[in-house]
Amino acid sequence: MSFVGSYLFRKVELKPYSVDMDTFEWKVIDFRTLNWLNILGAMGLSFPLSLLFFMEQNIASVIVNSPSNKLKKGTSYHWDLFVVGVINTLLSLFGLPWVHGALPQSPMHVRSLADMEERITVGNSVQQIVARVRETRITSILAHIGIGLSILMLPIPLTYIPRPVLAGLFVYMAVTSVSDNQLWERIQLVFIEQSAYPPSHYIRRVPQRRMHLFTGLQLLQLAVLCGCGFAEVPFIKMVFPILLFLQILVRQRLIPYVIDRKYLEAMDRPM
């Protein structure tokens, strides 16, 4: 894809990555040059960033440790978050990018290590389920070693990879992971006759209008997040973690006034 993007569309004017290897220095940032205003500003910006790390790390961990993945090793949410904090502290000292569990890469990593089986449900539909997962650290270690070695590929050949190729990679990961998303499943049900709904599905316990109303509210919340996340103004993007956190309050405090809690619990924990 990089070859196609570089040569087939070479007449398209795109700003390539620029890397100045002459000014790159591997040293600890000199914090003595910061005044108290810089420190206060950094503290203000670090709050939404830490909030984003906390939520995305835990959301990714919960999805990875879902019972449907049939993992045998126990969870360690607090330890994982502590390790992420220590690693990011060290990375910050050198001005390097941060790391944390992310979506959809983390669940896709689990699926890539899993043996899948196809089973026929009550509604005669074929469903893929996880038979077992090869729980190993080797794949993660090799992946991060590869990420670290990519610095040796600067400025050539990484600067020749068009940005749309990288954007297309993330689009591909998002599209391939949407099939297991309950919101996407309920969006499809809007265009399906109620008599054709799977008989063993959770929607049998929720009225159709309530289910579609919940789907519409979630799409509205998603639109707000997308509008903030894709905004051109950088400062608006900094509000994204706070908006993401507010979605929890909307779900727990406001939506129950519109949809009964028993229906929300049925959609939250499908059987």
Side-chain angles (χ1 to χ4, degrees), residues 47-115:
F47 173 74
L49 186 62
S50 301
L51 191 63
L52 178 63
F53 278 19
F54 174 80
M55 289 188 294
E56 189 160 6
Q57 170 68 31
N58 282 282
I59 291 173
S61 299
V62 169
I63 295 177
V64 166
N65 291 287
S66 172
S68 61
N69 289 330
K70 299 180 180 179
L71 299 179
K72 296 182 179 180
K73 296 181 180 178
T75 60
S76 55
Y77 298 112
H78 300 294
W79 176 249
D80 290 343
L81 197 60
F82 173 76
V83 172
V84 168
V86 172
I87 293 175
N88 286 330
T89 300
L90 296 176
L91 293 175
S92 300
L93 295 177
F94 294 94
L96 297 175
W98 299 299
V99 297
H100 59 83
L103 299 172
Q105 294 94 320
S106 298
M108 290 179 66
H109 181 217
V110 175
R111 286 301 181 100
S112 65
L113 297 174
D115 291 335

Side-chain angles (χ1 to χ4, degrees), residues 93-150:
L93 295 177
F94 294 94
L96 297 175
W98 299 299
V99 297
H100 59 83
L103 299 172
Q105 294 94 320
S106 298
M108 290 179 66
H109 181 217
V110 175
R111 286 301 181 100
S112 65
L113 297 174
D115 291 335
M116 308 297 294
E117 291 182 353
E118 291 186 350
R119 293 186 180 179
I120 300 178
T121 61
V122 179
N124 294 326
S125 60
V126 180
Q127 181 182 13
Q128 281 194 338
I129 64 171
V130 176
R132 72 182 185 95
V133 177
R134 299 172 180 83
E135 301 180 49
T136 175
R137 295 184 177 92
I138 296 178
T139 53
S140 298
I141 293 174
L142 293 178
H144 285 85
I145 289 176
I147 294 173
L149 293 178
S150 64

Side-chain angles (χ1 to χ4, degrees), residues 163-175:
R163 295 188 181 185
V165 173
L166 302 179
L169 175 62
F170 286 105
V171 170
Y172 169 78
M173 290 191 297
V175 171

